[in-house]
Amino acid sequence: MVNYLAVDFEIIDSRQSEQLIALLSEYGFEGFEETECTLQAFILEENFVEDDFNTIIQLFSSLKYKKTVVENINWNQQWEESFEPVIVDNFVAIRAHFHKPIGTVLHEIIITPKMSFGTGHHATTHLVIQQMQAIDFKQKTVLDFGTGTGILAILAEKLGAGNVWAIDNDEWSITNAKENIAQNDCTKIYIEQHNTIPIFKKYDVILANINLNVITANLESIELVANSACTIIFSGFLKEDENTMKATIKSAGFQYISTHSKGNWIAIRAVK
């Protein structure tokens, strides 16, 4: 039986949660579940290194947490039982295969709820989906940078994209995204594992829902792969980062269009 280690953190604010996710991801943690006051992080028990974990914890003052061991099969069952459909306006519903169809929306996306980013519950995914309503995807080339479970790539195809390149640096996310892409009968999505954006193709639309540090580090690459008049949606950062992000994308050659918020999180729309 494969066991996972679950670490439950008491979270002071969304900034702390974002920082923890970014750091823990680099040390083998595979899944995260956020609420307003807690963050639950999961890692294979055999991959947990106490010294690495302590290195991260020491970066935060008075961070409270507890660790428990859970069996993988029981954890997945618990996840399925707690997974609720996500509905974004009357535009998109994200549900699992065991939910009944939701007939009040234009598009349904079916995913297998597992330990990965992008179940649709996070505010940033919600924000990007909302902004996708206003974009013409018909026959466009699309880059989904940090695809997670593949939700945004799947939606891009459903909205008429000519082809979609979905990349992520996490092997487990790639595997799960492939399952979800197949489950939604998508045939125009190409998914690959990359740490950075390959510079060999140009895109009409770029979806970058990751975090502030990764987006900032890859802005030069984003600019290089953006076609003229390319639309870009940046998300994965907080309201307090808005001015920094606006200045950063301007210096990279993009024109700021608008900011949209949900809770403490924001998405910024820009064009080249």
Side-chain angles (χ1 to χ4, degrees), residues 42-107:
F42 297 88
I43 185 172
L44 275 171
E45 188 177 24
E46 63 187 36
N47 291 343
F48 180 78
V49 179
E50 190 76 39
D51 288 344
D52 290 344
F53 180 75
N54 289 336
T55 298
I56 295 172
I57 297 304
Q58 289 168 9
L59 298 175
F60 301 85
S61 60
S62 304
L63 181 62
K64 296 181 179 179
Y65 65 90
K66 65 176 181 179
K67 294 182 289 187
T68 55
V69 175
V70 291
E71 293 181 353
N72 184 33
I73 187 170
N74 290 341
W75 188 91
N76 282 333
Q77 181 181 356
Q78 177 186 354
W79 181 270
E80 288 192 0
E81 290 173 352
S82 64
F83 180 78
E84 294 294 335
V86 176
I87 299 176
V88 180
D89 306 327
N90 63 344
F91 181 46
V92 172
I94 302 162
R95 65 175 178 89
H97 64 86
F98 49 80
H99 293 133
K100 293 181 180 179
I102 299 170
T104 57
V105 296
L106 295 175
H107 304 282

Side-chain angles (χ1 to χ4, degrees), residues 117 178 189 216 260:
F117 297 106
K178 286 180 177 178
I189 300 173
T216 301
H260 304 268

